[in-house]
């Protein structure tokens, strides 16, 4: 839960208290300037932006084929019919949208990235666990996944060699992410109308040609849970970035507006394209999807619209990956590693882009299975992380945000309940409930119909351990309450 609006005054009326590390340099609203610093507090004179911009910031990156493919796998790989898949996709996207809104609302008050806020629940050094995982999954994993989908689209459209298409996609992504926050927001804004118009038209055509009444292929409750997990994994994959794109807002910005526009943008774009993917899978064979998933989707469209959709898929992949590289770099700097460079975030973004390119080269083959596994693994760690973050917020209700701000940069601050709870929650839930090609847990191995309950069990177990730890630790309220 975000802090009440009246609590912003303590930070709004004065500069941050001693001990808070402030981002150096001058940046303002300039789009063509490289953003200085890393994961530090954004000074008040640098604050700008409005909540409405979050709608296209969280809509544009989901107008891409990776989103479509979440719906495809629900029908083609998990055996659901269209209506079963649609329900699972809407539920997964809705949960991810709600958590996205709640997390985004805290950015303006504290003026730091999401993975710095994560230090409340994990401590300064314990936070290296989620920050490190996010820097890898965002800056390398998601970057590779979306680069592959953009590459398939560009290859199908131009017939250029796939490695060359990958180079083109990657270069554009790295350049935008290297410049930073303002250019990222501007890119998403101008990409939004193009992507929205093309994908809405394509979705209407696909739905008109689909066979929603086609029977399921034995997916059952297991297939439903797998699809729900994949949809949740996709939407919630943006959660560790949430405050990254609101930390430049003024502390008195409306929390309700921030939560609404960020959550709505994420939910609508995910649900719409995932449903389009599920519809397309009712008229496409699995073999065609495995051979060229992008081409299989656009093959149902008239030639002109198919070409525009391929162009939009490539543009959407870039829109997604500029966020992935940017936030991945912020997460890396939030691990506590000191880089004495004014452009440290930009340099880390460049390095991640190069590594992600290499990983993407290996993903040009058997992309469908690799993407399915990646979606589930994302949910495996983000759900326990969310449990710690939200439980910590509940326990800190009513605490002074100005005093709490100092904890974020105090290397002596420890909260080992966070990393321990998360590791136990991840370990037990994966061991018992994981259900993917790389590892099948104890329960689905003997009862395949159960599906995959990893993220649900991981969240609940982690929350119980974290709350119980602080209930019986004997230290009363969490650090920050005491003077």
């Amino acid at each position: 839960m975000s802090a009440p609006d009246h609590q912003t005054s303590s930070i709004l009326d004065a500069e941050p208290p001693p001990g808070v590390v402030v981002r150096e340099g001058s940046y303002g609203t300039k789009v063509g300037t490289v953003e200085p610093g890393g994961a530090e507090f954004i000074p008040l004179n640098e604050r700008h932006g409005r909540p409405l911009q979050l709608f296209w910031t969280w809509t544009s990156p989901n107008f891409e084929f990776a989103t479509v493919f979440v719906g495809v796998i629900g029908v083609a790989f998990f055996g659901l019919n269209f209506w079963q898949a649609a329900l699972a996709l809407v539920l997964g996207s809705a949960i991810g949208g709600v958590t996205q809104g709640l997390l985004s609302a805290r950015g303006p008050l504290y003026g730091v990235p999401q993975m710095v806020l994560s230090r409340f629940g994990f401590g300064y050094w314990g936070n290296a666990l989620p920050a490190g995982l996010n820097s890898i999954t965002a800056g390398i994993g998601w970057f590779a996944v979306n680069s592959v989908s953009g590459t398939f689209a560009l290859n199908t459209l131009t017939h250029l060699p796939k490695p060359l298409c990958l180079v083109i996609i990657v270069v554009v992504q790295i350049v935008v992410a290297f410049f930073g926050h303002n250019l990222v927001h501007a890119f998403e804004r101008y990409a939004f109308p193009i992507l929205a118009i093309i994908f809405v038209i394509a979705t209407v055509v696909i739905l008109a040609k689909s066979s929603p009444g086609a029977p399921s292929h034995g997916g059952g409750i297991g297939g439903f849970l797998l699809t729900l997990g994949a949809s949740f994994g996709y939407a919630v994959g943006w959660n560790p970035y949430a405050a990254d794109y609101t930390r430049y807002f003024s502390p008195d910005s409306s929390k309700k507006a921030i939560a609404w526009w960020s959550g709505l943008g994420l939910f609508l774009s995910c649900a719409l394209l995932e449903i389009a993917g599920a519809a397309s899978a009712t008229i496409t064979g699995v073999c065609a999807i495995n051979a060229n998933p992008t081409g299989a989707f656009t093959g149902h469209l008239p030639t002109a619209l198919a070409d525009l959709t391929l162009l939009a898929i490539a543009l959407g992949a870039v829109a997604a990956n500029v966020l992935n590289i940017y936030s991945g770099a912020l997460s890396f700097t939030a691990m506590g590693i000191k880089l004495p460079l004014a452009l440290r975030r930009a340099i880390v973004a460049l390095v991640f882009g190069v590594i992600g390119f290499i990983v993407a080269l290996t993903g040009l083959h058997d992309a469908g299975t690799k993407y399915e596994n990646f979606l589930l693994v994302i949910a495996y760690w983000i759900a326990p992380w969310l449990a710690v973050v939200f439980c910590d917020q509940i326990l800190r209700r009513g605490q002074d945000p100005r005093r709490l701000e100092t904890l974020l940069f105090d290397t002596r601050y420890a909260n080992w309940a966070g990393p321990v709870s998360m590791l136990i929650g991840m370990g037990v839930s994966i061991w018992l409930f994981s259900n993917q090609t790389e590892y099948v847990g104890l329960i689905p191995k003997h009862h395949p119909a159960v599906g995959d309950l990893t993220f649900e069990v991981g969240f609940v177990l982690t929350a119980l351990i974290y709350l119980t730890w602080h209930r019986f630790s004997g230290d009363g309220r969490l650090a920050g309450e005491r003077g």
Side-chain angles (χ1 to χ4, degrees):
M1 296 176 61
S2 57
D5 287 335
H6 71 270
Q7 289 189 357
T8 62
S9 59
S10 59
I11 290 179
L12 180 63
D13 295 341
E15 286 301 314
V20 172
V21 181
V22 179
R23 197 215 67 208
E24 73 271 34
S26 177
Y27 186 47
T29 60
K30 294 172 284 190
V31 173
T33 300
V34 178
E35 179 187 6
E40 302 81 21
F41 175 86
I42 303 302
L44 300 184
N45 63 342
E46 291 275 278
R47 302 296 184 93
H48 61 277
R50 56 199 178 106
L52 177 60
Q53 72 190 57
L54 295 170
F55 182 73
W56 49 74
T57 296
W58 293 117
T59 300
S60 296
N62 294 307
F63 279 144
E64 52 140 358
F65 188 72
T67 318
V68 172
F69 201 65
V70 176
V72 170
I73 62 179
V75 173
F77 298 155
F78 297 154
L80 300 181
N81 65 32
F82 172 78
W83 296 110
Q84 292 169 337
L87 177 59
L89 297 169
V90 168
L91 286 175
S93 299
I95 297 170
V98 169
T99 53
Q100 182 77 2
L102 293 174
L103 293 171
S104 297
R106 300 193 90 200
L109 177 62
Y110 292 100
V112 294
Q114 188 64 55
M115 277 299 159
V116 173
L117 285 174
S118 180
R119 291 173 183 169
F120 282 138
F122 290 84
Y124 189 90
W125 295 112
N127 189 58
L129 172 63
L133 285 170
N134 194 52
S135 64
I136 294 172
T137 55
I140 299 175
W142 271 120
F143 177 82
V145 165
N146 291 311
S147 294
V148 168
S149 67
T151 296
F152 275 120
L154 196 59
N155 167 257
T156 304
L157 178 63
T158 65
H159 304 292
L160 293 171
K162 288 180 182 177
L164 177 58
C165 293
L166 179 61
V167 170
I168 294 171
I169 293 290
V170 167
V171 168
V172 176
Q173 294 168 162
I174 292 177
V175 168
V176 176
F178 181 83
F179 275 85
H181 179 273
N182 292 344
L183 183 57
V184 168
H185 273 298
F187 185 90
E188 306 299 343
R189 176 182 180 181
Y190 290 108
F192 170 69
I194 301 171
L195 295 170
I197 291 172
I198 294 174
F199 273 115
V200 167
I201 295 173
T203 298
V204 171
V205 173
I206 291 291
L207 288 172
K209 291 186 174 184
S210 67
S211 303
S216 66
H217 301 289
I221 186 63
F224 182 87
L225 290 173
L226 283 166
T227 304
L228 175 65
S231 177
F232 172 76
Y234 184 86
V236 84
W238 298 114
N239 283 188
Y241 311 1
D244 299 0
Y245 304 95
T246 62
R247 73 193 200 282
Y248 272 87
F249 291 173
S250 171
D252 62 353
S253 300
S254 169
K255 291 180 175 61
K256 291 182 179 178
I258 290 172
W260 169 255
W261 289 118
S262 57
L264 183 66
L266 180 62
F267 167 71
L268 286 180
S269 53
C270 287
L272 176 68
L273 264 68
E274 288 168 8
I275 288 173
S280 73
T282 65
I283 48 177
T284 306
V286 175
C287 292
I289 293 172
N290 280 327
N292 187 343
T294 307
F297 177 75
T298 58
H300 305 304
L301 304 172
T303 303
L305 180 57
D307 289 344
L308 286 173
T309 303
L310 288 168
L311 183 62
I313 288 172
L315 178 61
V318 175
N321 269 348
V322 296
L323 299 187
N324 289 322
I325 309 175
Y326 179 79
S327 287
L330 283 179
S331 294
F332 182 83
T333 59
M335 291 174 64
I337 300 173
K338 302 295 184 182
L339 299 175
L341 304 169
L343 298 181
R344 51 192 169 275
R345 178 213 52 82
I347 293 172
V348 172
L350 178 62
V351 173
F352 276 0
V354 173
I355 298 174
F357 167 75
I358 296 172
V359 175
L361 279 175
T362 69
L364 295 177
H365 305 286
D366 195 21
T369 299
K370 291 177 180 177
Y371 184 43
E372 171 194 331
N373 292 338
F374 181 71
L375 282 171
L376 294 173
V377 170
I378 287 288
Y380 291 173
W381 81 261
I382 293 183
W385 170 78
L386 281 173
V388 172
V389 169
F390 286 128
C391 287
D392 187 82
Q393 288 186 37
I394 292 172
L395 294 177
R396 293 187 190 279
R397 286 177 299 180
Q399 294 188 12
D400 181 5
R402 186 172 175 84
R403 181 175 297 169
L404 288 175
E405 186 93 32
T406 62
L407 293 178
L408 298 175
F409 300 95
D410 186 354
T411 58
R412 299 167 300 175
Y413 168 57
N415 187 359
W416 293 110
V420 171
S421 300
M422 179 175 169
L423 285 172
I424 295 175
M426 287 174 58
V428 172
S429 60
I430 292 172
W431 171 55
L432 291 177
F433 293 99
S434 174
N435 191 355
Q436 56 158 300
T437 58
E438 299 300 320
Y439 174 73
V440 178
L442 187 64
I443 292 178
K445 183 180 295 184
H446 294 89
H447 305 281
V450 170
D452 193 319
L453 290 169
T454 309
F455 87 81
E456 295 96 333
V457 173
F459 182 91
V460 173
L461 181 58
T462 301
L464 288 174
I465 295 172
Y466 188 82
L467 293 173
T468 302
W469 181 304
H470 283 292
R471 172 66 178 84
F472 294 103
S473 62
D475 62 354
R477 297 297 300 274
L478 290 178
E481 179 69 12
R482 299 180 298 277

